[in-house]
């Protein structure tokens, strides 16, 4: 399949993910919980998110950065693990509960912690390299960062659905990405378009409110509130859509099974 065919398949994948989310809107709760507990973690660690800006280079600064990366990665991965489990349950026609997804994520807390440990280590190393004055080192860090993102793209579904060790989880994630790279790019592009449209609608509504109220303090405050609400909605919507599509790709790539919810996607053409 050519690149345009793969991108088209990815777009249909993103579109069908919206149908799944409409069918099971509770899937968007997991990104909300992830953001909430992530902010709590930042507040507990730094006494406020603005303090993270003041992290300086040096052993103490890098140690704080490591803890930051580890905690935020673990929290995000934990709730994403719950999301991908429940998404696959929806694919099979079942009606999972929030508690069920959380229990599955908790059962995989150890491999999720291993993944967070690896991500934090790599994150700090990249930060050290990027702080170098060498342009070559910075370019190398950028290339490695992209490669790392590709290698670990399916790491959460692998952890949830496969009983593999720390080394194997990275191998399996990389293999799955290799099998689905075109559709993954297409799905990301499709989800990005949906989120952008959502944000643009929010901006338009906020501007109309401000104009309708004559630029008054109340009007500006209302515009800010509406804009913030749409941005939050875009984050929840985009995050949930992204992981629904990712789970569908993973299911087909590893189980050779086309989820019923994605009957508009011709997975057979992806190989």
């Amino acid at each position: 399949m050519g690149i345009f065919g793969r991108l088209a398949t990815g777009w249909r994948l993103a579109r069908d993910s919206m149908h799944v989310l409409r069918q099971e809107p509770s899937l968007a709760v997991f990104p909300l919980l992830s953001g909430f507990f992530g902010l709590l973690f930042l507040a507990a660690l730094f006494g406020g998110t603005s303090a993270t800006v003041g992290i300086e280079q040096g052993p103490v600064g890098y140690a704080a950065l490591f803890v930051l990366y580890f905690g935020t990665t673990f929290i995000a991965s934990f709730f994403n693990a719950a999301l991908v489990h429940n998404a696959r349950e929806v694919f099979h026609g079942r009606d999972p509960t929030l508690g069920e997804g959380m229990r599955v994520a908790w059962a995989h807390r150890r491999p999720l912690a291993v993944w967070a440990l690896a991500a934090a280590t790599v994150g700090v190393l990249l930060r050290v390299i990027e702080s170098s004055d060498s342009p070559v080192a910075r370019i190398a860090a950028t290339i490695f960062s992209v490669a790392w993102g590709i290698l670990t793209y399916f790491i959460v579904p692998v952890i949830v659905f496969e009983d593999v060790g720390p080394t194997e989880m990275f191998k399996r994630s990389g293999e799955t990405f290799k099998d689905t790279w075109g559709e993954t790019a297409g799905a990301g592009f499709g989800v990005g378009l949906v989120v952008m449209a959502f944000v643009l609608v929010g901006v338009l509504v906020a501007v109309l409110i401000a104009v309708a109220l004559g630029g008054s303090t109340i009007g500006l405050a209302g515009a800010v509130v509406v804009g913030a609400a749409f941005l939050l909605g875009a984050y929840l919507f985009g995050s949930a859509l992204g992981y629904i599509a990712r789970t569908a790709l993973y299911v087909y790539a590893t189980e050779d099974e086309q989820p019923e919810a994605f009957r508009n996607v011709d997975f057979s053409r992806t190989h």
Side-chain angles (χ1 to χ4, degrees):
M1 176 186 281
I3 181 61
F4 293 107
R6 287 178 176 268
L7 290 174
T9 299
W11 166 251
R12 288 190 290 271
L13 186 65
R15 187 179 59 192
D16 284 350
S17 295
M18 286 189 283
H19 295 315
V20 172
L21 188 57
R22 282 200 296 267
Q23 178 185 348
E24 188 60 51
S26 66
L27 293 174
V29 174
F30 294 114
L32 177 63
L33 292 173
S34 176
F36 175 74
F37 283 100
L39 289 176
L40 284 183
F41 172 74
L42 288 172
L45 185 62
F46 295 104
T49 56
S50 61
T52 61
V53 179
I55 294 180
E56 299 179 356
Q57 297 180 17
V60 175
Y62 287 127
L65 198 62
F66 178 86
V67 174
L68 171 66
Y69 287 161
F70 175 83
T72 53
T73 300
F74 179 79
I75 291 170
S77 300
F78 182 88
F79 289 104
N80 286 334
L83 194 160
V84 299
H85 170 269
N86 280 18
R88 191 171 73 160
E89 291 295 290
V90 174
F91 296 166
H92 291 296
R94 293 186 280 270
D95 186 21
T97 63
L98 292 174
E100 178 183 344
M102 298 289 281
R103 285 191 294 272
V104 169
W106 179 252
H108 294 85
R109 62 190 180 278
R110 290 185 178 85
L112 288 172
V114 171
W115 151 236
L117 182 65
T121 302
V122 170
V124 172
L125 289 176
L126 286 174
R127 187 67 171 265
V128 171
I129 296 173
E130 289 170 352
S131 65
S132 170
D133 293 331
S134 170
V136 176
R138 293 180 180 178
I139 293 173
T142 300
I143 295 174
F144 183 81
S145 180
V146 172
W148 177 253
I150 290 173
L151 178 67
T152 60
Y153 187 81
F154 286 100
I155 197 76
V156 172
V158 168
I159 289 173
V160 174
F161 302 130
E162 300 184 29
D163 185 18
V164 294
T167 302
E168 189 67 15
M169 71 171 67
F170 292 100
K171 179 182 177 181
R172 291 290 300 119
S173 176
E175 290 173 346
T176 305
F177 186 93
K178 181 181 178 181
D179 292 338
T180 62
W181 66 269
E183 294 72 33
T184 297
F189 179 72
V191 170
L193 286 179
V194 173
V195 172
M196 184 181 298
F198 197 89
V199 171
L200 289 176
V201 170
V203 171
L204 178 61
V205 172
V207 170
L208 290 176
I209 290 175
V211 172
L213 295 177
S216 63
T217 301
I218 295 178
L220 292 176
V224 169
V225 170
V226 170
F230 268 89
L231 287 176
L232 175 60
Y235 162 74
L236 298 177
F237 195 49
S239 182
L241 282 184
Y243 267 91
I244 291 169
R246 192 175 307 194
T247 305
L249 281 170
Y250 171 86
V251 167
Y252 182 78
T254 60
E255 302 176 13
D256 199 25
E257 175 185 350
Q258 180 163 352
E260 177 63 24
F262 294 86
R263 56 187 176 276
N264 294 321
V265 181
D266 187 5
F267 284 104
S268 63
R269 297 179 60 200
T270 63
H271 298 298

